[in-house]
Amino acid sequence: MARPILSLFIAATASLAMTASAASELPLEVVQIGVTPNGFSSQPRGWNSFGIQANPDTTPGFSFNQDSVVSQCNTLANTAALKDAGYVYCSLDSGWSVGGNGDEFGRIIYDSSNFDIPSLADHLHAEGLLLGVYVVPGAFIADEDKMILGTNVTIGSVCSGDNGLARCNFDYSQPAVQQWHNSVVDQFASWGVDLIKLDFITPGSPSNGVNLLPDLSGGVIAYHQAIVQSGRKIRLDISWKLDRSEKYFDIWETHADSMRTDQDINNSGQPTFVSWEVVQRAIDNYRQYITTVMQYNTTLTIYPDMDNLFVGNPASVSGVTDDERQTIMTHWLGAGANLIIGSDLTNLDDFGLNLLTNTNAIAIADFTARFPMQPRNPGTGNNSSQQLQAWIAGPDPSGTAVVVIANYGPDQGQGGFGTSLSGVQTVNVSWSDLGISGTFDVHDVWAGDDLGTENSGLSVKLSEGQSILYKLSRS
């Protein structure tokens, strides 16, 4: 993998003055993330099964059952670098539960032919890991005649219709609906569940192929309230590509701990996990997300979920080059996004393991868990989609900041920027572009190199798909 080339920031005086003037009209508003509704102050880190389930050719021998999941998640427990970096969640995606009915009270139950959830939780907890499960809105249509636990109310009296997922639609104005959610989450808590992924939420979940009601935000509120009353600390991650309007973002960030900013990014059914075209889309969706929600409030209480990280396996399995793998990791780190690995943990290469566990990079994740990055276009400081892009996280009160500079390569159809600059490009980013001033010590995070001090900006040569991750410390 070719190294990016950093040079001193040099620009003609007139050009620099024009850039500074343009950027000076765009002051930097630092974005922060505070404590989430369920009490978390960092993004979740771990592994999720969906990528392998949807792309089985990437992981020969994997079956979605307890033995295969334990094999994957034991890698988290037994690889000191992963565990030390905080990768502790072992999250099951769709298929762990019975798909057509619940128990005698209509509560979600595990598929005992493949999983014993309490014993899985016990095993994970003994290894210092945590358990995640997957749910969708509604109760089963087949359970409409069953009584909700602790009530004399049948499910069918508060849940009707067909959402296309074998489930009816709750009337969230009915108190018994909250009692159903409480009963489900109480059972999850008794099993030892630590994270709930709530999928198929609307407004959002575009092109879902089922029959969702246009507003399922009540499900997010109900699961949050159920978590609170359960007495167990459980994360709530909601999905997918959720509505970013102020009305709904307020619901998401006051009831959930992370929210998906895009659709699924994996190459479903393919022998590789992801394509660069879709990564370009995911990065631009994060740009759209952060530039929208920071208009409502620059102190957020929810983490962005950019979907699973497919960077751990060799390029031939991941589906992207090593430069692109590093760029993916850099952007997920910079965004303060969920660091949930989708790769085959039993087939990590040295490069992938370093991407996931590099101590300097994980320190960046700790920083962006409080100060997520936002785009600042080179030359203007604007926040539009650009092939040659810059981002800044912070500065924090001490003046420390994180800067990402990228060349995404030609737009492959979903990048949002529409340009096709080929080959190596020089990207000049002034302090004015970034909205900062002063003298900073510059550290190249991935290379581990201290690059000296800079007082005006950075200039870097980047190949297609390449990026660089800097930590700036005020001199």
Side-chain angles (χ1 to χ4, degrees):
M1 186 177 76
R3 285 274 301 276
I5 300 171
L6 173 71
S7 57
L8 292 175
F9 183 79
I10 302 172
T13 302
S15 175
L16 184 60
M18 289 175 63
T19 298
S21 175
S24 67
E25 299 174 7
L26 298 167
L28 178 66
E29 293 187 77
V30 176
V31 184
Q32 301 182 57
I33 302 178
V35 177
T36 68
N38 293 308
F40 295 94
S41 56
S42 65
Q43 67 280 78
R45 305 172 194 177
W47 174 85
N48 174 265
S49 62
F50 180 74
I52 296 177
Q53 289 177 253
N55 301 74
D57 290 345
T58 62
T59 313
F62 180 90
S63 297
F64 191 46
N65 58 38
Q66 190 147 320
D67 288 343
S68 288
V69 167
V70 166
S71 178
Q72 290 288 326
C73 292
N74 279 352
T75 305
L76 296 179
N78 298 331
T79 306
L82 286 167
K83 200 168 183 181
D84 291 347
Y87 294 97
V88 295
Y89 284 94
C90 178
S91 181
L92 308 178
D93 215 272
S94 177
W96 69 272
S97 58
V98 173
N101 62 273
D103 67 6
E104 66 270 32
F105 301 109
R107 297 177 298 180
I108 298 167
I109 52 177
Y110 53 87
D111 179 355
S112 60
S113 67
N114 289 313
F115 291 98
D116 180 340
I117 294 299
S119 72
L120 176 58
D122 287 345
H123 171 77
L124 295 174
H125 294 160
E127 297 292 339
L129 303 178
L130 301 171
L131 173 63
V133 297
Y134 171 101
V135 299
V136 298
F140 289 108
I141 294 170
D143 292 339
E144 288 184 352
D145 291 335
K146 295 177 181 177
M147 207 79 74
I148 295 170
L149 181 66
T151 76
N152 59 0
V153 178
T154 62
I155 289 172
S157 67
V158 294
C159 194
S160 61
D162 181 350
N163 69 6
L165 297 165
R167 292 162 174 85
C168 50
N169 299 301
F170 277 123
D171 176 355
Y172 290 102
S173 69
Q174 298 297 316
V177 171
Q178 185 61 55
Q179 291 172 282
W180 180 89
H181 286 83
N182 292 354
S183 72
V184 168
V185 173
D186 285 345
Q187 181 153 268
F188 285 177
S190 74
W191 292 342
V193 170
D194 305 289
L195 179 149
I196 297 171
K197 175 182 174 181
L198 175 57
D199 206 4
F200 284 92
I201 290 299
T202 58
S205 300
S207 306
N208 53 69
V210 289
N211 187 36
L212 303 177
L213 293 180
D215 185 351
L216 291 171
S217 60
V220 178
I221 297 168
Y223 267 105
H224 168 64
Q225 292 177 343
I227 289 169
V228 171
Q229 66 82 45
S230 77
R232 185 173 180 84
K233 194 166 186 178
I234 299 175
R235 286 187 188 262
L236 181 60
D237 178 39
I238 57 175
S239 191
W240 76 89
K241 197 179 181 182
L242 291 154
D243 187 289
R244 301 165 187 150
S245 66
E246 187 169 9
K247 172 184 175 181
Y248 286 102
F249 183 71
D250 181 65
I251 296 173
W252 313 147
E253 76 159 346
T254 54
H255 295 93
D257 302 293
S258 53
M259 60 175 281
R260 276 280 290 278
T261 57
D262 195 7
Q263 301 182 63
D264 297 343
I265 69 169
N266 64 292
N267 294 329
S268 185
Q270 300 301 309
T272 57
F273 278 116
V274 73
S275 67
W276 187 241
E277 174 186 1
V278 176
V279 172
Q280 288 182 340
R281 185 196 75 200
I283 292 170
D284 192 56
N285 265 282
Y286 171 74
R287 180 196 64 81
Q288 295 172 34
Y289 161 82
I290 197 66
T291 57
T292 298
V293 302
M294 65 182 286
Q295 296 177 51
Y296 314 142
N297 189 351
T298 54
T299 300
L300 313 177
T301 55
I302 194 167
Y303 287 98
D305 178 356
M306 295 173 68
D307 203 10
N308 292 345
L309 271 169
F310 297 108
V311 300
N313 300 137
S316 60
V317 179
S318 293
V320 287
T321 68
D322 285 352
D323 278 339
E324 291 164 349
R325 289 166 71 190
Q326 183 166 300
T327 291
I328 293 170
M329 190 69 194
T330 292
H331 283 72
W332 267 239
L333 289 169
N338 289 7
L339 299 180
I340 301 295
I341 304 164
S343 306
D344 174 7
L345 293 177
T346 68
N347 186 33
L348 301 177
D349 64 0
D350 290 342
F351 184 74
L353 183 61
N354 181 65
L355 288 179
L356 293 167
T357 64
N358 181 288
T359 54
N360 291 328
I362 292 301
I364 297 300
D366 294 338
F367 180 88
T368 58
R370 296 176 294 121
F371 299 95
M373 71 180 186
Q374 59 181 289
R376 300 283 295 195
N377 299 157
T380 67
N382 289 322
N383 60 19
S384 62
S385 182
Q386 300 283 336
Q387 178 179 337
L388 308 179
Q389 185 66 287
W391 305 76
I392 186 168
D396 70 3
S398 74
T400 299
V402 170
V403 171
V404 173
I405 304 176
N407 173 10
Y408 301 123
D411 192 324
Q412 297 187 10
Q414 301 185 62
F417 48 85
T419 57
S420 300
L421 302 173
S422 61
V424 175
Q425 300 293 323
T426 299
V427 188
N428 297 313
V429 183
S430 72
W431 284 176
S432 294
D433 296 339
L434 295 173
I436 59 176
S437 61
T439 302
F440 293 87
D441 297 323
V442 181
H443 180 77
D444 182 332
V445 173
W446 291 117
D449 292 339
D450 291 321
L451 304 176
T453 60
E454 280 292 337
N455 59 17
S456 58
L458 300 163
S459 180
V460 61
K461 295 181 184 296
L462 296 171
S463 301
E464 296 174 17
Q466 201 170 39
S467 62
I468 194 160
L469 176 61
Y470 295 119
K471 178 183 177 182
L472 306 184
S473 303
R474 193 171 294 282
S475 295

